[in-house]
Amino acid sequence: MASDVTCAPPQLLGKGDIDPVHEANTTGRSPFLLTADHYGRALPRALGDLGVAESELGRHIAWDIGIAGVAERLAKMLDAHLIAQRYSRLVIDCNRPPAAASSIPVISEATAIPRNAAIAEGERAARRREIFEPYHHRIEAAINRRLHDEQPTVLVSLHSFTPVYAGVARPWHIGALYNRAPVLPQLLLGHLRAESDLVVGDNEPYAVSDLTDYTIPVHGEARGLVNTGIEIRQDLIADQSGQRQWAERLARIFAEIEVELKAKLLA
């Protein structure tokens, strides 16, 4: 059963822990900059298993199932730079404002996360400093470099979602998410709806907001970048075949959208 680790480490990540940031195709020339906030489900050795059973750590509460495979393939197909975060959202959610209660969840859906209950502020700070901040600093640095080099930059934040939530089935195969910048999401929605086999969500199953999201508001909207979030239903990308099919579909659609964006915004 899950172990009970209670002492806050002076330093969170140590020997045997992986780097929080994963990158692929760093010299990609595509205008699309891909991010994956919930790419991995690694846990720092100092935190044990957070008091959570392994069967729970394989569920969506810990990571975005299938999105890593889609993101890697899509980056290669588009020649796009991918920046992804390897640690579980149960350690710290890299798509939540650090002040939000859901940043370090005490409960996720119906699952308690005992190791996150009543943790010291020093440990909260360590999780931000060693996982959250390196990831977002890397995205910021990539955007700064691209803008300095006058390389067109369109932010695409990749996620997956559960087919059922709180007992309610979700009919959408994919959703486009946005807040203040609807240009790319509306183009994307048009292309997705033209695919006869898809049920497409417009800001479904989630909508982007300053209170519930971080990557798009901070790196997309605040920087004035064309941006969109994408949510793919996880049962469609749970295996390599599904991941490949969805990467191919999105690569084809984004190649068409790139032409449209260049005509509108990137010329």
Side-chain angles (χ1 to χ4, degrees), residues 95-135:
N95 191 37
R96 296 290 183 271
S102 56
S103 170
I104 300 176
V106 175
I107 188 166
S108 183
E109 296 182 14
T111 301
I113 318 299
R115 185 62 180 78
N116 289 349
I119 64 174
E121 180 52 40
E123 184 179 334
R124 289 184 180 275
R127 296 191 194 191
R128 291 193 299 267
R129 182 178 65 250
E130 299 182 43
I131 295 176
F132 182 94
E133 290 177 5
Y135 174 60

Side-chain angles (χ1 to χ4, degrees), residues 84-260:
Q85 202 288 117
R86 288 186 170 117
Y87 281 92
S88 173
R89 71 208 309 169
L90 298 179
V91 178
I92 186 166
D93 193 322
C94 285
N95 191 37
R96 296 290 183 271
S102 56
S103 170
I104 300 176
V106 175
I107 188 166
S108 183
E109 296 182 14
T111 301
I113 318 299
R115 185 62 180 78
N116 289 349
I119 64 174
E121 180 52 40
E123 184 179 334
R124 289 184 180 275
R127 296 191 194 191
R128 291 193 299 267
R129 182 178 65 250
E130 299 182 43
I131 295 176
F132 182 94
E133 290 177 5
Y135 174 60
H136 287 292
H137 288 166
R138 186 66 196 94
I139 297 172
E140 180 182 22
I143 293 171
N144 288 342
R145 175 186 58 78
R146 293 169 70 103
L147 295 180
H148 177 270
D149 294 344
E150 298 184 343
Q151 181 178 359
T153 301
V154 175
L155 180 66
V156 178
S157 183
L158 297 167
H159 295 266
S160 69
F161 67 96
T162 57
V164 177
Y165 182 77
V168 179
R170 291 159 152 177
W172 312 283
H173 299 103
I174 187 171
L177 279 55
Y178 57 96
N179 186 17
R180 301 178 183 90
V183 172
L184 177 54
Q186 292 304 317
L187 288 174
L188 179 59
L189 286 167
H191 282 271
L192 291 170
R193 286 168 175 159
E195 309 270 307
S196 60
D197 60 331
L198 296 183
V199 178
V200 180
D202 182 344
N203 260 344
E204 296 286 0
Y206 311 104
V208 174
S209 80
D210 295 337
L211 297 178
T212 59
D213 296 84
Y214 191 90
T215 298
I216 285 178
V218 171
H219 299 298
E221 294 175 342
R223 300 298 298 269
L225 299 182
V226 174
N227 67 82
T228 193
I230 290 178
E231 291 272 359
I232 306 171
R233 208 174 69 205
Q234 70 180 40
D235 58 311
L236 305 176
I237 54 173
D239 59 27
Q240 292 193 21
S241 175
Q243 293 160 18
R244 183 179 64 255
Q245 290 173 23
W246 274 93
E248 290 172 349
R249 188 194 296 255
L250 289 174
R252 170 174 50 80
I253 288 173
F254 274 121
E256 296 168 359
I257 287 175
E258 181 178 353
V259 175
E260 297 170 2

Side-chain angles (χ1 to χ4, degrees), residues 11-109:
Q11 179 176 325
L12 181 64
L13 302 181
K15 184 178 180 180
D17 286 318
I18 60 173
D19 191 285
V21 184
H22 165 71
E23 295 187 76
N25 204 27
T26 58
T27 59
R29 300 309 301 168
S30 170
F32 298 107
L33 174 62
L34 309 180
T35 63
D37 305 326
H38 305 137
Y39 174 101
R41 65 181 188 107
L43 300 174
R45 293 165 64 89
L47 300 185
D49 55 18
L50 297 173
V52 179
E54 176 59 31
S55 59
E56 294 293 288
L57 293 173
R59 294 180 53 231
H60 184 80
I61 62 169
W63 63 329
D64 278 359
I65 293 171
I67 208 61
V70 174
E72 293 286 348
R73 290 170 172 82
L74 185 59
K76 185 174 182 179
M77 292 174 187
L78 290 176
D79 189 26
H81 185 184
L82 166 66
I83 305 176
Q85 202 288 117
R86 288 186 170 117
Y87 281 92
S88 173
R89 71 208 309 169
L90 298 179
V91 178
I92 186 166
D93 193 322
C94 285
N95 191 37
R96 296 290 183 271
S102 56
S103 170
I104 300 176
V106 175
I107 188 166
S108 183
E109 296 182 14

